Amino acid sequence: MAEETTDVLIVGGSMVGLAQALFLARQGIRPLLVERHAEISAHPRAQAASPRTMELMRALGLEDAVRANENPHAHYGDVLQAESLAGPELGRFDGPFRHDPNDVGGTGWTLIGQDRFEPVLRDRAVELGADLRFGTEMTGFTQDDDGVTAVLRGPRGGGGPVEYTVRAEYLVAADGFRAPVRSSLGIGRHGQGVFGRQMNIVFHADLDPYVAGRTFFLCFVNNERVKGVLGKLGGDGSDRWVLAPSLPPGARHQEYGTRECVELVRAAVGVPDLPVRIESATSWEIAAWVADRFRSGRVLLAGDCAHVMPPTGGFGGNMGVQDAHNLAWKLALVLRGRAAPELLDSYEQERAPVAEFTVDQGVIRYLQRSGLDEAAAARHRPETTVLFGHVYRSGAVIAEGGPDDGAPVEDPTAPSGRPGTRAPHLPVVRAGKEMPLHDLFDGGFWLLAGPEGAAWESACAADALPAGVSFHRVGAQEPGATVERFLTRYGVDASGAVLVRPDGFVAWRSRDLPAKPAEALLTALGRILGRVSE
């Protein structure tokens, strides 16, 4: 018999694993997370939280906490190109992290390194009851039809490392691009493979004389000795920076000692005798691939173990956070018995096509640095489409009749409001206060009705519903312009309604008021949760 039990065991304590713990804890599930490293990594890795990720953070009340930890040069936005920081400038260009000019989302990018974002996720997850165990490694696991038995090794009860077993209903693998859990399950991967390897060197040096009052978020340096990116980090005063140089084919960061790292920093700054203190160094692959499956029985893959993409565009880590968000509400409803276990099938059905699309978009942006062939350039989609245009097709969406081109995205600047798409952004008024619509979506279903849809409210209060549904009538307090925007963007009449899932995606739409709204809502919710068939 296992020595401990938990509903969900999360393997991996970086951004995706911590987000998974946070989203589950917000749903009232107390997960157990294990991470083999003793603490959060000091390396920034992912450099930005996307508008979609910030939308999720805002709904959790964490927007201010995340923005308070932005990188020191975040507000500058643009990117400097130079031979070296002290050398000739080669140009400037707008960074990829500008505010959304199309008002598709309710919030913008936050330029925050992963090293500063992860503590915000960790602290809130712990506050909500998640059990996080750093310095603890999963050394093996087995699964059967009823759950997963994992062998863990780490400190326990105040003593030194010991080995013990945990029985979990489900296991979420968030163990990064090396993906030992995925490999042990025999799940393959496909894609374009490895493009190269990049190193991260965190160092301390006084670079103010060489910045010379110039404003930039990042500095791309390119000379005979080093090609890479310089960025200023927060913490430990004003002299902490990171250099991310490209490595030669086949090289690893372990081949670079302190002296070699100092030489790379000096070459990037352009000052041969610059005083430098190296804090740490690591490296990672620039690659593009997607796992062949996102699930094996009771084990589900999220983040880099399910998909890896080049860093251009800032999509990778944010995709992982959204994997976790998609999965959390489904796990919670299944664990509570409010949804059939088949609801979890929708996770791969929804996220795998989006991963394929987003990986391709990351590759396209990476190749833009060296010139694109026409076929790749033709596939390029705007940032807002990559971030907000996802179209889900699964058992957790009630599709409507009519033509469907099967595309994984649609243009979110001209939203259809159809089931499977993200609920279009809208300013709504609750208790006299205007707020972005997605602030409402913090864990449960919502029914949004038109101004003549008051009859839907009693349907949401029906005892027979398998899950709670909150109600908002657009027009009860909103001005006429907002009402018209709602009706147009959501494709409903004044008496119609849309059911929005806990992750902010439209699950079902009734264009007008049916004869029996409570029965219609009950049937729709039952189908979405796998409790009734079509």
Side-chain angles (χ1 to χ4, degrees):
M1 178 178 290
E3 298 170 65
E4 293 186 45
T5 60
T6 185
D7 287 327
V8 181
L9 173 64
I10 304 167
V11 180
S14 292
M15 187 162 72
V16 177
L18 290 169
Q20 189 71 78
L22 170 57
F23 294 139
L24 282 169
R26 180 64 186 85
Q27 291 283 346
I29 302 299
R30 186 173 187 263
L32 167 60
L33 178 149
V34 295
E35 166 55 50
R36 64 188 182 88
H37 292 103
E39 56 189 24
I40 287 172
S41 173
H43 286 264
R45 295 172 289 173
Q47 287 279 357
S50 74
R52 173 60 178 154
T53 295
M54 289 305 298
E55 196 169 66
L56 306 183
M57 295 300 106
R58 183 182 170 94
L60 290 169
L62 290 177
E63 182 182 31
D64 290 345
V66 175
R67 293 201 186 282
N69 284 279
E70 274 198 306
N71 294 348
H73 287 176
H75 57 289
Y76 296 143
D78 59 351
V79 175
L80 171 67
Q81 294 176 296
E83 286 187 10
S84 65
L85 186 61
E89 291 192 17
L90 304 176
R92 283 177 177 262
F93 61 89
D94 287 346
F97 310 124
R98 293 293 189 176
H99 182 70
D100 173 20
N102 298 308
D103 195 29
V104 171
T107 185
W109 285 92
T110 296
L111 305 184
I112 180 172
Q114 194 168 331
D115 58 321
R116 295 169 69 80
F117 186 32
E118 288 177 351
V120 177
L121 299 175
R122 175 199 61 199
D123 293 349
R124 184 60 171 150
V126 170
E127 183 181 335
L128 291 175
D131 183 355
L132 310 185
R133 302 183 191 179
F134 282 76
T136 300
E137 182 176 10
M138 185 178 75
T139 60
F141 72 94
T142 58
Q143 66 168 317
D144 52 47
D145 292 342
D146 299 319
V148 178
T149 300
V151 180
L152 307 182
R153 181 171 178 78
R156 197 169 185 228
V162 296
E163 198 167 83
Y164 58 100
T165 58
V166 169
R167 180 70 173 175
E169 294 285 322
Y170 293 95
L171 186 153
V172 176
D175 50 349
F177 72 94
R178 294 185 180 87
V181 172
R182 177 181 58 76
S183 298
S184 70
L185 292 168
I187 299 176
R189 61 185 186 180
H190 58 275
Q192 297 189 44
V194 178
F195 294 99
R197 196 168 189 88
Q198 194 156 341
M199 191 173 176
N200 269 14
I201 304 171
V202 176
F203 66 94
H204 296 259
D206 180 10
L207 301 190
D208 286 349
Y210 314 107
V211 172
R214 293 173 293 178
T215 59
F216 56 85
F217 169 50
L218 297 172
C219 178
F220 282 23
V221 297
N222 189 354
N223 56 58
E224 292 182 357
R225 183 68 182 89
V226 62
K227 179 179 181 180
V229 185
L230 272 171
K232 192 170 187 179
L233 300 178
D236 293 350
S238 62
D239 68 342
R240 190 167 180 260
W241 290 72
V242 62
L243 171 65
S246 299
L247 294 182
R252 295 290 187 272
H253 71 274
Q254 291 89 344
E255 302 168 24
Y256 291 74
T258 299
R259 180 175 61 82
E260 289 82 6
C261 289
V262 168
E263 289 177 355
L264 287 173
V265 170
R266 287 173 172 170
V269 178
V271 180
D273 59 351
L274 178 73
V276 177
R277 178 170 66 86
I278 303 299
E279 180 179 311
S280 59
T282 188
S283 64
W284 46 278
E285 287 181 345
I286 300 175
W289 54 259
V290 178
D292 296 339
R293 290 180 288 139
F294 283 22
R295 181 184 183 188
S296 175
R298 295 266 176 161
V299 182
L300 302 113
L301 313 183
D304 281 357
C305 68
H307 43 71
V308 170
M309 63 199 75
T312 41
F315 303 138
N318 289 289
M319 272 286 293
V321 170
Q322 290 146 44
D323 290 343
H325 194 248
N326 181 287
L327 186 53
W329 68 272
K330 298 173 182 178
L331 280 169
L333 289 173
V334 170
L335 286 165
R336 293 194 188 102
R338 296 182 180 177
E342 288 74 19
L343 175 63
L344 296 177
D345 294 339
S346 68
Y347 171 65
E348 179 178 325
Q349 293 167 359
E350 295 177 352
R351 296 303 293 171
V354 168
E356 299 276 3
F357 168 79
T358 309
V359 168
D360 186 50
Q361 292 298 306
V363 169
I364 290 169
R365 285 158 172 77
Y366 180 76
L367 294 178
Q368 281 177 325
R369 296 181 180 178
S370 56
L372 270 175
D373 61 71
E374 291 185 7
R379 298 197 309 273
H380 185 281
R381 294 294 180 269
E383 179 185 272
T384 49
T385 299
V386 180
L387 297 176
F388 291 113
H390 304 165
V391 178
Y392 291 158
R393 297 171 181 84
S394 75
V397 170
I398 300 179
E400 297 174 341
D404 184 347
D405 61 7
V409 293
E410 69 173 22
D411 180 2
T413 67
S416 65
R418 60 176 163 154
T421 62
R422 169 185 165 272
H425 170 57
L426 195 75
V428 296
V429 179
R430 297 284 293 179
K433 179 182 177 183
E434 184 176 284
M435 65 180 65
L437 172 67
H438 281 259
D439 280 11
L440 302 179
F441 307 141
D442 65 348
F445 284 90
W446 279 81
L447 190 75
L448 308 177
E452 298 174 16
W456 287 105
E457 185 167 12
S458 58
C460 293
D463 292 336
L465 293 179
V469 178
S470 300
F471 177 75
H472 182 81
R473 181 166 63 89
V474 180
Q477 299 183 64
E478 291 84 4
T482 299
V483 173
E484 183 59 33
R485 186 177 177 185
F486 170 72
L487 299 179
T488 300
R489 289 191 162 199
Y490 284 81
V492 296
D493 296 339
S495 64
V498 292
L499 180 65
V500 182
R501 307 184 327 182
D503 58 358
F505 277 71
V506 176
W508 170 70
R509 176 168 64 179
S510 178
R511 294 183 184 272
D512 52 23
L513 184 69
K516 298 179 179 180
E519 183 177 313
L521 178 60
L522 175 62
T523 300
L525 194 58
R527 285 177 58 187
I528 291 160
L529 300 182
R531 294 170 62 97
V532 297
S533 58
E534 295 186 26

